[in-house]
């Protein structure tokens, strides 16, 4: 769906030297961008096609040279062939007398290189320039090299022999040389392996053959069937697929046609030329990429150039340029620029036109496709059909050149520029009535000719609506027409001298205010095109070319005009062009910046910038650079469009840019990121790389994350974006090279549409989108938070109004928050205006007041203490809210009951018992209604119990439903469930019969035990009587949690004592000795209580129990000795010392235990208390000195260890930095190298022994004082296990493991406290030197360890500041 438009044009003139002189043939010089013409006066003209270097070169071949030599050509000679030889940079000229003349334009030298008999008909060089084909008047083809050697000579007219041509008479008596078929056309295939000829004299019926020849040998490869070809108009497609030839079919179809032939000569398709019977095709030309076919068609009163394009098995006439009069017209394509056309007349007027494809999809997703005299109109939102199909068709009286469509409000107008110079206006009905136009053809040819608006002095380009009744266009005029035009419009003349660099002529802006004088009422739903006249017009002359015009989407009667150098100016209706647009827009809306190069595709869009509406102008140039505000977004763009969402807004604004790239990627980018970002992440297919904007747009320097735009791989190569359906549809329409349409729905746009619907509380639209695009239903709840959804549950159910959809929604609910998992990286609306915060989400509201909901009971019930409950309550809260609304607000129906059952079955945990209770109730109602004839019809309003049960079994596990039915103690219901769940009756019937034969309490007890409902089982078996007390006791022993419930149930003292003793036994088995002792005490079992206290090391309570048992003194002493030994074994020497001193009267043993417990001062106090001061003093001194010496040794080893750890860390770090620098120099990324590479360091660098078994036990710095070295080492080994074990040399995590070990070697607070007590004891005992030495080593160790950690952290902080840390540069705060 695209149209072809002329976006720039220029004119040049060849100054002919004679009055009756005409241009005959031409040749193009691609390298120097110039064209040569040969005239009827044997003069060769050359002009430069570049506007900045306009010049003319001439040489007369009939004049004598300066040396007095005779002229090259005689006056009666006629130039019949001309071609440019690239290798020789010269022209080869063929004449009617057979001369071959070589003309060198740079030196003006002329040389006759050969002569052929019969004269030259045409000359055609091969694509590589190595071979020259010359067709002679005697029907011969000569193949010559660049040295003018003839390779071969063959006859191209096999129907007549050489004698026929030499005699001048054919077999049918017609003169051969004067035959109307004497014109010959030679066309090469693109690769130069074959060439085709057409234009021989033909057979007796005037029919000719298209012949295909081989290049190397000149052998005839194939030929077509005899056909009535027209004027030797033939051209081979450069791609080599087809040969196009003009045929005369006026006898059958009353029109000329173009037929296509394959290399084997077989005809493969054709199409008819628009026009009357007198239309004659004089020339056919393919452009260099084989996309467009130009046909030069001559009529009685004018000649026209028609541009045809093929798509979807249909040929479209996309452009027609008419030239009045009977002057001979010729045409050529630029050999290197496929969209550049060159037209010229026989009298020297040269017209250069540059074309471009434009999207045929306009406002409101309306596709308007040009096809000759037809305009195919298709609203894509109603019918998605590709051309040549359409929703309806509008037919005009001549070929359509350009169209402009506007749809503002209820009025829609179409302006059509016709090839005959007229302008036609068509008024469309309201879009709600377009479905009535399907399949209709509206013919405007029957409209009163007075309604056509005649445009003088050329075609009107770039038609643009400024208002439903104001239209703006551009005409191009050369110098001669400008003065004439200025006289014609002197009353409305405005001149704006905007120079764009050497362009020929001027551009004239034509603004026309239209009015419809049609007094006749148009039938509703029909088109109207009559009565339109120009009320007023204004003309503005710009001394520059105009590339594009686009209306301002924010303001009526204003447009943006792009000049030839990419600059953009503003045009205001009735006012003209603003000379200083940048300053104007800086005060109003935004800076109006131009493009880096001219962009034929320009689109202004409205966007929001911090709550203010502004305009961004996007442009795409011919090189594929997508630009905005003077910056490049993508350098490989092929097509682009915009998606607009009005979520929470009154006015629709553009939110996303969608474009395709040459790598066949579809990119969905957020406009906010582009507008405020500094760098764009440009996808280049293989090897993506960020590309900077160059200059900052706004904000900080940052990358647009990949999560902010989607990259979708386009499945068919070359497919382009043609349009987007905005709003909730969120459809992206692509057209493939074949022409068919494909629609995709990017996940980002769909989610954006769903978010907009949820914001506006359009729950029905949101659910529809979720179902259509298979989006996770949880987004409906998670987008605004489940608390807000619970409040809006009533509105949700009411607006959905479809119980089937609600059931789907209920079944899909999960505890997972999809906004944090599944759709976390996809950008959703996050605007600043009208936002409501729900949890961690922000969403829009289209109202100024906050959301108001009525019922808050569910949230209050789920939020004890007015605190937000965990997210695991989401499913339960939502389903309870939905179920409550269904029960209270929805009328009773089977669908409603099924939906309620679904909410119960899908709850977490499932409420199957509640669902079965409802089914049981419906079953009872069914039974009662069948027994009561009067109410027999009431049960039809309810759901049948069997259907409900099947639905519940479908939603839940059959075993779970069966167990739930058993839990209701309804054996009949359980049997029904088992039968419907296809259980084997041999399995469940005996079990149910056994239950039925049991007493009711025992049956309930058995069922509860099977279902693991032990609390209910205990209550039921207790109700069975005293005979079942042993079963109760066994149940409590097997489920200890029931002991407390058993005490509540049984009030008898004897039974409570049995339960408490059993509970105590259980606690004792679990080593909960204190609780077990309390249970034993409650039953006066003091002996068991004593054993429990002893087992738990509770010596005070144990000795208390000894008193309660009234033990003798010897028994108490024996008990004390046993407790003392047990406490020592448990590592509690200080507690054992108290027992030895208080109960055993063993002072020396108590002092030894205190020394073991490192209670130095307490040992001295006890010694002096019992008059053993000197003895104790000597013992304490020896133990303290021994402990101090051991600590000094540990500190010395620790200092050495810290140094080795630090040296190892620095070595590993240096190795990693050197390797990273080397990789950077080699152009590799760190991510491309294995982690092990960074740690391949020899473990012998620093002589570190911590990785071996030598001294690994002292790696920890948690040093503690002890009288024995084994105790200290045991504590150190335990500490090392906590910090992760040994370090592996060369491992990826070695560097950070070293830092971790350094930090873990710090002196703990407990170690410092023990050191303090030891120093105090040494000073008290007079060992000041030992204390000073110990303090010195401890201080050195502590300072060394802290300095090493600080050095490592400083190195890493410095590395992070330089940005070289990379993945290894994480913060060390986690190790502190």
């Amino acid at each position: 769906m695209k149209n072809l438009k002329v976006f720039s044009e220029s004119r040049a003139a060849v100054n002919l030297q004679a009055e009756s002189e005409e241009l005959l043939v031409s040749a193009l010089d691609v390298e120097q961008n110039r064209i040569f013409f040969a005239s009827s006066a044997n003069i060769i003209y050359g002009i430069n096609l570049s506007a900045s270097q306009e010049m003319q070169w001439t040489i007369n071949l009939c004049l004598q040279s300066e040396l007095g030599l005779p002229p090259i050509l005689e006056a009666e000679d006629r130039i019949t062939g001309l071609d440019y030889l690239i290798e020789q940079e010269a022209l080869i000229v063929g004449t009617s007398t057979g001369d071959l003349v070589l003309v060198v334009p740079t030196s003006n030298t002329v040389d006759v290189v050969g002569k052929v008999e019969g004269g030259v008909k045409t000359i055609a060089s091969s694509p590589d320039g190595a071979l020259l084909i010359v067709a002679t008047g005697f029907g011969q083809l000569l193949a010559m090299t660049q040295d003018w050697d003839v390779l071969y000579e063959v006859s191209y007219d096999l129907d007549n022999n050489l004698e026929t041509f030499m005699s001048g008479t054919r077999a049918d008596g017609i003169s051969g040389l004067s035959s109307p078929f004497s014109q010959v056309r030679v066309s090469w295939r693109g690769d130069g392996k074959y060439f085709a000829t057409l234009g021989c004299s033909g057979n007796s019926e005037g029919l000719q053959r298209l012949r295909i020849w081989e290049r190397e040998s000149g052998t005839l490869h194939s030929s077509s069937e005899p056909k009535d070809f027209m004027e030797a108009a033939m051209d081979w497609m450069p791609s080599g697929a087809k040969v196009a030839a003009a045929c005369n079919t006026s006898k059958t179809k009353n029109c000329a046609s173009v037929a296509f032939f394959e290399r084997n000569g077989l005809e493969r398709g054709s199409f008819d030329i628009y026009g009357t019977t007198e239309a004659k095709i004089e020339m056919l030309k393919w452009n260099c990429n084989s996309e467009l076919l130009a046909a030069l068609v001559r009529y009685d009163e004018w000649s026209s150039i028609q541009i045809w394009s093929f798509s979807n098995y249909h040929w479209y006439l996309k452009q027609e340029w008419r030239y009045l009069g009977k002057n001979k017209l010729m045409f050529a394509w630029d050999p290197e620029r496929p969209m550049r056309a060159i037209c010229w007349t026989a009298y020297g007027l040269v017209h250069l036109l540059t074309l471009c494809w434009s999207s045929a999809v306009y406002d409101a997703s309306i596709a308007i496709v040009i096809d000759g005299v037809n305009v195919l109109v298709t609203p894509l939102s109603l019918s998605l059909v590709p051309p040549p199909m359409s929703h309806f068709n509008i037919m005009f009286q001549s070929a359509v050149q350009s169209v402009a469509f506007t749809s503002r409000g209820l009025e829609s107008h179409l302006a059509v520029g016709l090839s005959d110079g007229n302008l036609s206006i068509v008024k469309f009905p309201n879009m709600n009535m377009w479905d009535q136009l399907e399949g209709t053809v509206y013919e405007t040819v029957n409209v009163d000719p007075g309604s056509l608006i005649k445009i003088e002095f050329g075609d009107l380009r770039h038609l643009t609506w400024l208002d439903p009744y104001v239209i703006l266009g551009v005409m191009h005029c050369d110098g001669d027409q400008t003065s004439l035009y200025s006289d014609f419009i002197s009353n409305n003349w405005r001149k704006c001298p905007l120079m764009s660099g050497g362009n020929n002529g001027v551009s004239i802006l034509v603004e026309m205010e239209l009015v419809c004088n049609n007094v006749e009422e148009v039938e509703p739903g029909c088109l109207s095109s009559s009565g339109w006249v120009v009320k007023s017009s204004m003309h503005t002359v710009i001394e520059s070319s105009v590339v594009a015009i686009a209306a301002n989407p924010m303001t009526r009667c204003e447009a943006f005009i792009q000049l030839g150098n990419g600059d953009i100016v503003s045009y205001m209706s009735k006012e003209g062009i603003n000379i200083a647009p940048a300053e104007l827009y800086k005060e109003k809306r935004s800076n109006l910046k131009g493009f880096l190069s001219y962009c034929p595709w320009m689109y202004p869009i409205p966007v929001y910038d911090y709550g203010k509406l502004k305009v961004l102008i996007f442009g795409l140039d011919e090189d594929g650079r997508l630009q905005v505000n003077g910056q490049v977004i993508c350098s490989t763009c092929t097509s682009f469009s915009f998606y607009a969402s009005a979520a929470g807004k009154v006015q629709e604004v553009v939110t996303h840019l969608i474009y395709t790239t040459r790598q066949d990627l579809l990119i969905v980018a957020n406009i906010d990121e582009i507008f405020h970002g500094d760098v764009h992440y440009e996808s280049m297919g293989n090897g993506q790389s960020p590309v900077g904007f160059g200059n900052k747009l706004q904000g900080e320097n940052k990358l647009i994350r990949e999560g902010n735009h989607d990259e979708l791989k386009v499945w068919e190569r070359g497919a382009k974006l043609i349009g987007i359906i905005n709003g909730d549809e969120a459809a992206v329409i692509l057209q493939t090279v074949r022409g068919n349409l494909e629609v995709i729905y990017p996940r980002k746009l769909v989610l954006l549409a769903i978010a907009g619907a949820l914001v506006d509380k359009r729950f029905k639209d949101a659910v529809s989108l979720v179902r259509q695009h298979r989006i996770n239903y949880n987004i409906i709840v998670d987008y605004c938070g489940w608390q807000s959804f619970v409040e809006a549950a009533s509105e949700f159910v009411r607006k959905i109004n479809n119980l089937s959809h609600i059931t789907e929604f209920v079944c899909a609910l999960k505890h997972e928050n999809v906004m944090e998992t599944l759709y976390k990286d996809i950008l959703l609306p996050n605007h600043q205006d009208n936002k409501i915060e729900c949890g961690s989400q922000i969403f829009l509201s289209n109202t100024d007041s906050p959301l108001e909901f009525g019922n808050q009971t569910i949230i209050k019930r789920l939020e004890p203490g007015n605190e937000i409950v965990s997210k695991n309550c989401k499913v339960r809260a939502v389903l309870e809210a939905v179920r409550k609304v269904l029960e209270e607000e929805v009328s009773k129906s089977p669908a409603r009951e099924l939906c309620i059952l679904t909410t119960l079955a899908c709850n977490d945990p499932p409420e199957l018992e509640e669902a079965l209770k409802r089914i049981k109730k419906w079953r009872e109602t069914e039974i009662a209604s069948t027994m009561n004839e009067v109410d027999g019809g009431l049960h039809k309003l309810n759901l049948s119990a069997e259907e409900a049960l099947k639905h519940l079994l479908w939603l839940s596990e059959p075993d779970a439903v069966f167990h739930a039915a058993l839990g209701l103690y309804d054996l009949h219901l359980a049997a029904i469930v088992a039968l419907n769940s296809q259980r084997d009756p041999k399995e469940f019937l005996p079990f149910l019969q056994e239950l039925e034969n049991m007493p009711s309490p025992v049956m309930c007890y058995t069922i509860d035990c099977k279902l693991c409902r032990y609390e209910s089982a205990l209550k039921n078996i207790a109700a069975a009587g005293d005979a079942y007390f042993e079963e109760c006791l066994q149940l409590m022993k097997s489920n200890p949690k029931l002991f407390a419930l058993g005490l509540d149930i049984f009030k008898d003292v004897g039974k409570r004592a049995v339960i408490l003793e059993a509970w105590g036994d259980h606690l004792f088995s679990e080593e909960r000795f204190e609780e077990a002792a309390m249970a034993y005490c409650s039953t006066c079992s003091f002996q068991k209580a004593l054993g429990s206290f002893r087992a738990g090391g509770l010596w005070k309570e144990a000795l208390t129990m000894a008193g309660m048992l009234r033990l003798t003194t010897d028994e108490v002493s024996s008990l004390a000795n046993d407790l003392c030994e047990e406490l020592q074994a448990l590592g509690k020497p200080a507690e054992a010392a108290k027992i030895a001193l208080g109960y055993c009267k063993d002072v020396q043993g108590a002092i030894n235990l205190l020394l073991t417990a490192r209670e130095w001062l307490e040992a001295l106090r006890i010694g002096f208390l019992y008059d053993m001061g000197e003895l104790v003093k000597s013992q304490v001194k020896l133990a303290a000195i021994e402990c101090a010496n051991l600590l000094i040794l540990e500190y010395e080893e620790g200092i050495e260890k810290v140094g080795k750890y630090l040296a190892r860390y620095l070595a590993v770090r240096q190795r990693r930095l050197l390797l990273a620098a080397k990789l950077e120099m080699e152009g590799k990324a760190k991510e491309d190298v294995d982690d092990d590479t960074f740690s391949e360091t020899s473990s012998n660098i620093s002589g570190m022994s911590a990785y071996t078994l030598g001294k690994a036990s002292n790696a920890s710095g948690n040093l503690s004082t002890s009288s024995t070295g084994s105790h200290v080492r045991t504590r150190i080994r335990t500490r090392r296990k906590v910090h992760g074990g040994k370090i592996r040399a060369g491992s990826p995590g070695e560097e950070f493991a070293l830092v971790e070990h350094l930090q873990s070697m710090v002196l703990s607070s407990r170690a410092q406290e023990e050191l303090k007590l030891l120093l105090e004891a040494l000073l008290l005992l007079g060992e000041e030197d030992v204390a000073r030495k110990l303090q010195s080593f401890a201080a050195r160790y502590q300072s060394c360890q802290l300095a090493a950690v600080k050095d490592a952290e400083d190195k890493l902080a410095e590395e992070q500041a330089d940005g070289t840390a990379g993945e290894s540069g994480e913060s060390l705060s986690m190790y502190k």
Side-chain angles (χ1 to χ4, degrees), residues 278-332:
E278 72 274 5
K280 301 295 182 182
I281 302 176
E282 295 184 348
M283 180 185 296
L284 291 174
K285 284 287 186 181
W286 292 97
N287 68 340
C288 61
N289 63 0
S290 305
E291 187 179 16
L292 300 176
L293 176 63
L296 176 57
V297 185
R298 178 177 294 278
Y299 298 89
D300 291 341
E301 298 181 357
W302 70 83
S303 297
S304 69
I305 296 175
Q306 298 180 358
I307 309 297
W308 293 80
S309 174
F310 181 78
S311 178
N312 207 14
Y313 305 100
H314 179 76
W315 283 93
Y316 300 84
L317 176 58
K318 289 298 184 180
Q319 281 284 333
E320 183 183 39
W321 308 317
R322 291 190 180 182
Y323 293 83
L324 299 179
K326 296 185 178 180
N327 296 334
K328 184 178 180 180
L329 181 66
M330 301 188 72
F331 176 85

Side-chain angles (χ1 to χ4, degrees), residues 1039-1060:
N1039 297 278
K1041 294 182 179 180
L1042 299 178
F1043 280 113
L1045 180 60
L1047 291 176
D1048 293 337
I1049 294 176
F1050 295 98
K1051 304 301 181 182
D1052 183 72
V1053 177
K1055 294 179 180 179
R1056 290 175 62 88
V1058 174
I1059 294 174
L1060 284 171

Side-chain angles (χ1 to χ4, degrees), residues 144-157:
M144 298 182 178
T145 65
Q146 294 184 355
D147 298 329
W148 315 112
D149 296 329
V150 178
L151 293 181
Y152 52 82
E153 180 178 357
V154 294
S155 174
Y156 63 82
D157 189 359

Side-chain angles (χ1 to χ4, degrees), residues 951-1228:
H951 181 74
L952 183 62
L953 289 170
W954 178 74
L955 291 173
S956 308
E957 290 291 334
D959 291 341
V961 179
F962 178 72
H963 292 159
L966 284 177
L968 295 177
Y969 311 122
D970 188 339
L971 300 181
H972 188 66
L973 180 61
I976 296 176
V977 171
L979 289 173
N980 283 277
S981 59
Q982 298 181 353
R983 280 175 169 262
D984 188 358
K986 295 181 180 179
E987 295 180 0
F988 69 86
L989 280 180
F991 175 68
L992 295 180
Q993 290 173 356
E994 182 183 355
L995 292 176
E996 189 176 11
N997 295 329
M998 294 180 182
S1000 179
V1002 179
M1003 180 195 72
C1004 296
Y1005 162 75
T1006 306
I1007 292 175
D1008 290 335
C1009 288
K1010 181 176 179 60
L1011 301 181
C1012 301
R1013 302 189 306 186
Y1014 298 111
E1015 292 185 4
S1016 178
L1018 181 60
K1019 294 178 182 179
N1020 288 322
I1021 196 62
D1026 296 338
Y1028 293 93
F1029 179 72
E1030 287 299 327
E1031 283 79 356
C1032 293
L1033 189 60
Q1034 291 299 324
L1035 181 61
M1036 285 184 284
K1037 288 181 179 180
S1038 60
N1039 297 278
K1041 294 182 179 180
L1042 299 178
F1043 280 113
L1045 180 60
L1047 291 176
D1048 293 337
I1049 294 176
F1050 295 98
K1051 304 301 181 182
D1052 183 72
V1053 177
K1055 294 179 180 179
R1056 290 175 62 88
V1058 174
I1059 294 174
L1060 284 171
E1061 187 172 357
W1063 197 358
D1065 294 340
H1066 166 70
L1067 294 173
F1068 187 87
S1069 66
E1070 289 190 347
E1071 298 184 355
R1072 297 163 61 182
F1073 301 112
E1074 186 175 5
E1075 297 177 10
M1078 291 298 103
Y1080 291 139
C1081 290
S1082 299
T1083 61
C1084 296
S1085 299
F1086 298 126
Q1087 190 65 39
K1088 287 188 175 182
L1090 175 60
S1092 296
F1093 284 133
R1094 287 187 62 180
L1098 303 172
W1099 63 275
K1100 295 180 181 179
E1101 291 79 358
L1103 292 173
T1104 303
M1105 283 296 103
M1108 296 290 291
L1109 291 172
R1110 300 184 181 277
L1111 300 180
T1112 63
T1113 303
D1114 295 337
E1115 291 175 339
V1116 172
S1117 178
S1118 176
L1119 176 63
N1121 288 325
D1122 293 341
L1123 288 174
C1124 187
E1125 293 176 359
E1126 291 172 1
L1127 289 175
Q1128 290 185 62
L1130 292 174
K1132 298 180 180 180
E1135 301 293 326
K1138 294 179 182 180
I1139 297 175
L1141 185 63
Y1143 289 89
C1144 299
K1145 308 302 180 181
D1146 184 4
V1147 178
Q1148 183 61 46
I1151 292 174
N1152 291 335
L1153 290 172
L1154 289 173
L1155 292 178
T1156 303
R1158 303 175 301 280
E1159 298 289 345
W1160 319 103
L1161 299 181
E1162 182 65 16
L1164 289 174
R1165 186 188 69 80
I1166 297 299
F1168 288 118
L1169 177 64
Y1170 289 96
D1171 294 331
M1172 301 173 61
E1174 295 302 325
L1175 178 61
V1176 172
K1177 185 176 180 181
S1178 62
Q1179 290 180 353
V1180 173
K1181 180 183 294 187
L1182 291 176
I1185 292 175
E1186 180 184 359
C1187 184
N1189 291 332
L1190 180 61
L1191 286 179
I1192 290 173
L1193 179 61
E1194 295 294 338
Y1195 287 142
E1196 287 179 343
E1197 293 179 356
I1199 292 172
E1200 181 182 359
K1201 192 66 64 182
V1202 168
K1204 290 184 177 181
Y1205 269 105
L1206 181 61
R1208 176 65 178 178
Y1209 165 75
L1210 295 176
V1212 173
R1213 176 181 177 274
Q1214 184 66 22
R1215 177 64 176 261
R1216 177 178 57 81
L1217 294 178
L1218 291 175
L1219 181 58
K1222 182 179 179 180
L1223 293 175
E1224 185 177 359
M1225 293 179 62
E1226 294 177 356
K1228 299 181 180 179

Side-chain angles (χ1 to χ4, degrees), residues 1307-1352:
L1307 284 176
S1308 66
S1309 58
R1310 182 178 178 181
Q1312 293 178 15
E1313 182 65 25
E1314 292 178 354
L1315 178 62
K1316 175 184 175 183
L1317 295 176
L1318 179 59
L1319 291 174
E1320 291 177 355
L1322 290 172
L1323 291 175
L1324 186 62
L1325 295 171
E1327 298 295 333
E1328 182 180 352
D1329 294 338
V1330 177
R1332 190 181 301 278
K1333 183 177 180 181
L1334 175 61
Q1335 185 179 14
S1336 174
F1337 273 93
R1340 286 175 56 193
Y1341 171 79
Q1342 188 175 19
S1343 61
C1344 181
Q1345 187 270 340
L1346 294 176
V1349 172
K1350 185 177 183 301
D1351 190 14

Side-chain angles (χ1 to χ4, degrees), residues 721-743:
L721 177 65
I722 63 168
I724 291 178
I725 302 179
N726 296 321
D728 289 347
E729 188 69 20
V732 175
I733 305 173
L734 299 174
Q735 188 167 29
T736 62
V737 178
R738 301 189 308 270
N740 58 309
L741 300 182
E742 300 289 347
V743 181

